[in-house]
Amino acid sequence: MTHRPGHLILNAFLMSTGHHEASWRLPESPGGVESLSVGHFQNLALVAESGRLDSIFFADSPGLWGDIGRRPAGTLDPLIVLTAIAAVTSRIGLIATASTTYNSPYNLARRFASIDHVSNGRAGWNVVTTANEAAARNFGLDGNPLHATRYERAAEFLEVAFGLWDSWEEDAVVGDKAAGVWGDSSRLHAIDHVGTHFSVAGPLTTHRSPQGRPVIVQAGSSDDGKDLAARYAEAVFTAHQTLGDAQGFYADLKARTAAAGRDPQGVKILPGIVPAIGSTEAEARAIEQELDEHIVPEHGLRQLARTLRVEPSDLTLDGRLPADLPDEDEIEGAKSRYTLIVNLARRENLTVRELIGRLGGGRGHRTFAGTPEQVADTLQAWYDDGAADGFNIMAPVLPSGLETFVAHVVPVLRERGLFRHEYEGTTLREHYGLEVPANRWTAARSLTTVAGA
């Protein structure tokens, strides 16, 4: 295997007590609301930063997801949590999920620009379209907008946000005390956007942020999701169970990016992996088994039924999935995750109970039990064989799983020349090897100057 230039990207995906749904039941885990506290997440971010990881990442939804009887539920607004984390860290990137279906472009563009300022250029936005029926009801709707409509709205939402982030040119703030001029109004621009979904005048209320704009991340793997990523995303979070599937997704998305007129190297593809790590393979499997034994199958069955759009009575724990499940085209929610789950069950001939166990670790992301060297082998194989530019590390138990990864897997990756020893830059764009996007107004002014020279 041949290493590519640079290093693989490592993000820490943070979720309450960990990604395994039974993690909260372990004696070491905080069992109550302390798992949602700001201090808990600040400590996790410091662990990730001590390992020189590229970023931390928070998922989010504007509606309560799942059954609170099953696992720690409820979330703080991740954008607010990131400001608290920015205060105790200095280098690690800060990525939060926010929905284009249940937000307005002006407010969200302003909030992410503010976080980029507060953190000195470490902000990233994971763009999602939200397929949560509870969210729809929270916003006065009977159901989610259609899948295609959500993605049309997302594209327009991003165009508006990009315009707002460009509305102040880099040198709009003059600060000339002698002349009494604070800012150059000719370098401040309204966007005057009138579209299908939004009407936004602009400009933004804050000057251009350190990265030009936050890093844009996207997490949908349907055809519409991949097309949106090809046009706008700079990193893509995705879920795959096999190397072949991951390689196919990687090649497809890079090709779509090139077809959209963008450099494929400007889009980093980051699958999730849930590693149970032990000093021996047997110890790692024992850690995984202990977690799986704490799963309450009835909770998982109800969640699986919701995902598959069937009634719980249609599923039998020791039987296989029904043969007549809907096709992906009939699903208006998370299409790609639906297909991944069904394909996993069919490919491995899993019972419902076995499938619930597999999903309990990472909700469809790849789970893996092994030694630090074996985890590193897996990451390296996917990286070297064209399946990933890096990974979302989804520790099954927090904080111990992240601490173990940083203490034992990261050094192996460093020994192999795959990961940094120290941060080389200060912004998330620098960590990812991404360019600062040109301001459209500054670029147009430069072209005009050249043409008139």
Side-chain angles (χ1 to χ4, degrees), residues 237-310:
F237 295 160
T238 185
H240 300 289
Q241 290 286 324
T242 69
L243 174 62
D245 285 347
Q247 288 172 319
F249 178 89
Y250 188 97
D252 182 22
L253 189 52
K254 296 285 186 173
R256 290 180 193 234
T257 302
R262 300 175 60 211
D263 180 1
Q265 294 302 313
V267 181
K268 310 301 181 181
I269 298 176
L270 311 173
I273 184 169
V274 187
I277 306 166
S279 58
T280 65
E281 186 174 346
E283 181 181 316
R285 295 199 178 280
I287 292 170
E288 185 178 55
Q289 182 177 353
E290 179 186 16
L291 285 164
D292 289 346
E293 287 174 351
H294 281 84
I295 293 175
V296 179
E298 290 73 20
H299 289 329
L301 186 143
R302 289 194 293 272
Q303 180 57 47
L304 180 61
R306 283 193 290 269
T307 300
L308 299 178
R309 306 298 194 269
V310 299

Side-chain angles (χ1 to χ4, degrees), residues 123-196:
W125 171 21
N126 179 41
V127 179
V128 297
T129 64
T130 307
N132 184 336
E133 295 293 332
R137 292 192 294 273
N138 287 340
F139 285 80
L141 303 176
D142 294 331
N144 286 308
L146 295 176
H147 188 270
T149 302
R150 296 201 311 273
Y151 277 93
E152 290 168 5
R153 177 184 167 101
E156 186 179 341
F157 197 115
L158 283 165
E159 291 289 350
V160 173
F162 287 1
L164 290 168
W165 289 325
D166 278 353
S167 61
W168 293 61
E169 295 186 48
E170 286 87 344
D171 53 358
V173 178
V174 176
D176 188 338
K177 293 183 179 181
V181 177
W182 186 84
D184 183 346
S185 59
S186 72
R187 284 166 166 73
L188 185 66
H189 305 277
I191 67 170
D192 293 325
H193 174 89
V194 178
T196 303

Side-chain angles (χ1 to χ4, degrees), residues 2-3 27 30 106 110 113 231 307 339 349 374 414 442:
T2 302
H3 296 339
Y106 194 93
R110 184 186 186 205
R231 292 172 61 190
T307 300
T339 299
N349 197 31
Q374 289 172 325
R414 286 174 177 157
T442 304

Side-chain angles (χ1 to χ4, degrees), residues 395-420:
V397 182
L398 289 170
S400 62
L402 181 59
E403 292 168 341
T404 301
F405 184 88
V406 166
H408 298 288
V409 179
V410 167
V412 176
L413 296 172
R414 286 174 177 157
E415 289 171 4
R416 299 180 185 185
L418 293 167
F419 196 64
R420 66 168 70 86

Side-chain angles (χ1 to χ4, degrees), residues 3 6-10 46-54 91-92 372-373 375-377 379-380 383 402-424:
H3 296 339
H7 65 82
L8 58 80
I9 292 167
L10 296 176
L46 288 168
V47 171
E49 189 170 65
S50 73
R52 307 303 186 253
L53 270 59
D54 292 85
R91 293 292 190 89
I92 195 159
E373 291 76 14
V375 173
D377 288 345
L379 301 184
Q380 182 175 348
Y383 179 67
L402 181 59
E403 292 168 341
T404 301
F405 184 88
V406 166
H408 298 288
V409 179
V410 167
V412 176
L413 296 172
R414 286 174 177 157
E415 289 171 4
R416 299 180 185 185
L418 293 167
F419 196 64
R420 66 168 70 86
H421 287 268
E422 295 294 338
Y423 289 114
E424 297 169 1

